[in-house]
Amino acid sequence: KVKPQLEEKEGKTFDVFTAVEFKTQVVAGTNYFIKVHVGNDEFLHLRVFRSLPHENKPLSLHSYQSSKTKDDELAYF
């Protein structure tokens, strides 16, 4: 659901977009830190926010880190 948000920010489309790892952090909602394979040896780390259920808001791409590798540790950012 956040792929179009990322493509808009990056100004390009991703033919490959596969989540390979994730971590969560509970705040006033939930932060998801997701390692995504985007083709070749390229990976991105995404921070996606899910609001509390009663707020009824869509998932939002909070921030991301590019130029990551498969072996880079997925850390909170």
Side-chain angles (χ1 to χ4, degrees):
K1 294 188 177 198
V2 298
K3 182 181 177 192
Q5 295 174 51
L6 179 65
E7 289 177 337
E8 183 178 326
K9 288 183 184 219
E10 279 285 291
K12 63 182 178 181
T13 58
F14 297 102
D15 294 330
V16 176
F17 197 80
T18 308
V20 295
E21 182 182 347
F22 78 96
K23 294 181 179 182
T24 60
Q25 176 188 38
V26 177
V27 289
T30 305
N31 282 321
Y32 292 90
F33 298 89
I34 308 166
K35 182 185 293 188
V36 178
H37 180 229
V38 292
N40 299 322
D41 291 330
E42 284 188 69
F43 289 79
L44 298 173
H45 290 184
L46 311 182
R47 179 174 171 188
V48 176
F49 179 71
R50 172 177 271 158
S51 63
L52 295 170
H54 72 276
E55 294 178 333
N56 200 25
K57 293 181 181 177
L59 289 175
S60 64
L61 177 64
H62 185 273
S63 58
Y64 66 97
Q65 297 175 334
S66 56
S67 301
K68 295 293 186 176
T69 68
K70 181 180 180 182
D71 297 323
D72 285 339
E73 180 182 354
L74 183 60
Y76 298 99
F77 61 94

